[in-house]
């Protein structure tokens, strides 16, 4: 009897199937320390209990992307162990803060399957929910993955591609209970800019760049218990390179965005996300943001700003060529809502 897990292939997925992902993970302050060592992350709400308490929270929660990485990592052995590429995200919402000591687990539902025209792979859509030890949902999102077929001759399933919202409606954003920015300390946050200081269409060059090293991306990917072969095994790609985990690029770009968006404190929704081109060790990653929308919320002093965050090896503001396709320098296109003082 075979006891090891070679991972699922495209023909192993069934529409409507519900997958309970092992293994639950208790997250504590060690995750924050490692996260802040791996990325230049310094948003004040995720750095200081005192700052968070002045903003109406009991203490500082764990970084929003720590929650994302932990929940995502649980899904990899069942969803993307044999992935060719992680293609995109939609309909993501952070539903409640993750506190040190919480235990997170993940479950997914297969909502779409479509074989590629080459007959060698297919695209699988899943809706994933992250839950805490109280069975409360902390995060939900849809992602789609290109997965290898085990048997190229196997019959293709009926194609089903879900119709996904292009943006999370402002009214569906979940504001953490008690969040209040009326006593917000701009001197300690690092920048004076409120929501009203930004304009729709404004492009912000985050200036700094970080060169990705092989060891640090593998450390990060192991930290989130992401076991996808393409991140560790150099024989998985014809070019002999390890693919940088896309979440590593997301966190790096988010951390770089502090310079110009220090007060965009909490990510609360993921409208759309695309890993436009592969990233490899040795690449120097820079970031820029475009302001897409702004709304006020019901929480005191709290606004929501919709941002396109782009990670690139190129210049700020450059996204697509004349053919409408992403430029080869663009690594990530990440459309999200963040909470910011009005």
């Amino acid at each position: 009897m075979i006891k090891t897990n070679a991972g699922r292939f495209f023909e192993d997925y069934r529409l409507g199937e519900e997958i309970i992902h092992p293994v639950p993970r208790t997250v504590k302050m060690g995750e924050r320390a490692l996260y802040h060592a791996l990325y230049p992350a310094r948003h004040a709400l995720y750095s200081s209990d005192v700052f968070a308490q002045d903003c109406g929270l009991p203490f500082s929660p764990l970084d929003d992307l720590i929650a994302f990485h932990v929940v995502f990592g649980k899904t990899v052995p069942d969803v993307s162990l044999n992935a060719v590429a992680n293609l995109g995200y939609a309909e993501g919402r952070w539903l409640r803060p993750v506190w040190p000591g919480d235990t997170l687990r993940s479950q997914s539902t297969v909502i779409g399957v479509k074989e590629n025209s080459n007959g060698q792979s297919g695209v699988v859509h899943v809706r994933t929910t992250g839950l805490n030890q109280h069975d409360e949902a902390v995060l939900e999102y849809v992602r789609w993955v290109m997965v290898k077929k085990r048997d190229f001759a196997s019959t293709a399933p009926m194609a089903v591609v879900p119709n996904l919202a292009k943006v999370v409606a402002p009214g569906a954003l979940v504001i953490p209970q008690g969040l209040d920015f009326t006593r917000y300390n701009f001197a300690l946050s690092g920048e004076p800019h409120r929501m009203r200081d930004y304009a729709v269409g404004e492009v912000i060059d985050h200036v700094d760049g970080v060169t990705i090293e092989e060891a640090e991306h593998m450390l990060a990917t192991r930290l989130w218990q992401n076991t996808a072969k393409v991140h560790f095994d150099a024989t998985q790609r014809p070019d002999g390179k390890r693919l940088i985990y896309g979440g590593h690029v997301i966190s790096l770009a988010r951390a770089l965005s502090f310079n110009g968006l220090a007060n965009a404190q909490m990510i609360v929704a993921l409208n759309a996300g695309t890993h436009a081109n592969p990233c490899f060790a040795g690449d120097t990653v820079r970031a820029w943001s475009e302001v897409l929308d702004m709304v006020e919320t019901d929480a005191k002093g709290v606004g929501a700003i919709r941002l396109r965050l782009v990670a690139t090896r190129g210049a700020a503001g450059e996204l697509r060529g004349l053919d409408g396709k992403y430029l080869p320098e663009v690594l990530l296109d990440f459309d999200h809502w963040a909470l910011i003082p009005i």
Side-chain angles (χ1 to χ4, degrees), residues 35 39 46 62-72 94 139 224 245 247 249-255 267 270 309 334:
Y35 187 87
Y39 311 106
Y46 294 119
L62 294 181
D63 296 64
D64 36 47
L65 288 175
I66 290 179
F68 175 81
H69 291 313
V70 172
V71 170
F72 182 101
W94 278 257
L139 171 67
W224 316 123
Y245 164 45
V249 179
I250 293 173
S251 278
L252 188 54
R254 160 69 171 168
I267 298 176
L270 168 52
L309 173 62
F334 191 78

Side-chain angles (χ1 to χ4, degrees), residues 127-140:
R127 186 181 300 277
T128 294
T129 303
L131 301 109
N132 63 20
Q133 67 275 21
H134 305 298
D135 290 332
E136 299 167 328
V138 300
L139 171 67
E140 63 181 13

Side-chain angles (χ1 to χ4, degrees), residues 71-149:
V71 170
F72 182 101
K74 304 291 98 191
T75 72
V76 169
D78 295 313
V79 174
S80 51
L81 194 63
N82 293 309
V84 178
N86 188 39
L87 298 176
Y89 313 90
E91 297 186 358
R93 293 192 304 157
W94 278 257
L95 301 171
R96 52 176 38 85
V98 172
W99 307 105
D102 278 352
T103 296
L104 302 182
R105 61 183 179 86
S106 304
Q107 59 189 42
S108 298
T109 303
V110 179
I111 61 172
V113 288
K114 184 178 184 296
E115 184 175 275
N116 289 329
S117 57
N118 63 12
Q120 300 179 10
S121 60
V123 175
V124 178
H125 285 73
V126 297
R127 186 181 300 277
T128 294
T129 303
L131 301 109
N132 63 20
Q133 67 275 21
H134 305 298
D135 290 332
E136 299 167 328
V138 300
L139 171 67
E140 63 181 13
Y141 62 89
V142 173
R143 73 162 169 141
W144 49 104
V145 186
M146 187 186 303
V147 184
K148 299 174 186 176
K149 288 184 69 176

Side-chain angles (χ1 to χ4, degrees), residues 77-278:
D78 295 313
V79 174
S80 51
L81 194 63
N82 293 309
V84 178
N86 188 39
L87 298 176
Y89 313 90
E91 297 186 358
R93 293 192 304 157
W94 278 257
L95 301 171
R96 52 176 38 85
V98 172
W99 307 105
D102 278 352
T103 296
L104 302 182
R105 61 183 179 86
S106 304
Q107 59 189 42
S108 298
T109 303
V110 179
I111 61 172
V113 288
K114 184 178 184 296
E115 184 175 275
N116 289 329
S117 57
N118 63 12
Q120 300 179 10
S121 60
V123 175
V124 178
H125 285 73
V126 297
R127 186 181 300 277
T128 294
T129 303
L131 301 109
N132 63 20
Q133 67 275 21
H134 305 298
D135 290 332
E136 299 167 328
V138 300
L139 171 67
E140 63 181 13
Y141 62 89
V142 173
R143 73 162 169 141
W144 49 104
V145 186
M146 187 186 303
V147 184
K148 299 174 186 176
K149 288 184 69 176
R150 178 189 292 106
D151 178 7
F152 295 168
S154 64
T155 303
M158 183 180 69
V160 175
V161 178
N163 184 22
L164 301 172
K166 293 183 179 180
V167 61
V168 175
L173 302 177
V174 178
I175 313 301
Q177 185 176 359
L179 190 68
D180 180 346
F181 282 164
T182 56
R183 297 176 56 203
Y184 193 92
N185 191 321
F186 289 90
L188 294 181
S189 72
E191 288 180 349
H193 315 303
R194 300 172 175 268
M195 186 174 76
R196 62 175 178 251
D197 296 321
Y198 295 90
V200 173
E202 179 179 359
V203 172
I204 304 157
D205 182 354
H206 299 303
V207 180
D208 304 304
V210 173
T211 302
I212 291 182
E213 302 293 343
E214 196 82 85
E216 67 185 17
H217 101 82
M218 288 192 291
L219 175 63
T221 310
R222 289 191 186 102
L223 175 63
W224 316 123
Q225 297 178 325
N226 180 335
T227 56
K229 299 172 184 177
V230 291
H231 303 318
F232 300 104
D233 184 347
T235 68
Q236 291 292 310
R237 291 177 53 90
D239 57 14
K241 295 181 179 180
R242 299 178 182 90
L243 185 68
I244 302 297
Y245 164 45
H248 190 72
V249 179
I250 293 173
S251 278
L252 188 54
R254 160 69 171 168
L256 290 172
S257 75
F258 179 91
N259 192 349
L261 283 165
N263 296 318
Q265 288 289 350
M266 307 185 82
I267 298 176
V268 288
L270 168 52
N271 300 308
T274 302
H275 297 291
N277 288 289

Side-chain angles (χ1 to χ4, degrees), residues 20-85:
I20 306 299
H21 305 291
V23 172
R25 172 88 175 267
T26 301
V27 289
K28 297 187 179 181
M29 290 302 292
E31 265 78 12
R32 172 177 291 166
L34 283 168
Y35 187 87
H36 288 202
L38 287 163
Y39 311 106
R42 49 197 173 120
H43 284 84
L45 199 69
Y46 294 119
S47 299
S48 165
D49 283 347
V50 175
F51 191 95
Q53 288 161 357
D54 286 344
C55 293
L57 301 180
F59 44 87
S60 178
L62 294 181
D63 296 64
D64 36 47
L65 288 175
I66 290 179
F68 175 81
H69 291 313
V70 172
V71 170
F72 182 101
K74 304 291 98 191
T75 72
V76 169
D78 295 313
V79 174
S80 51
L81 194 63
N82 293 309
V84 178

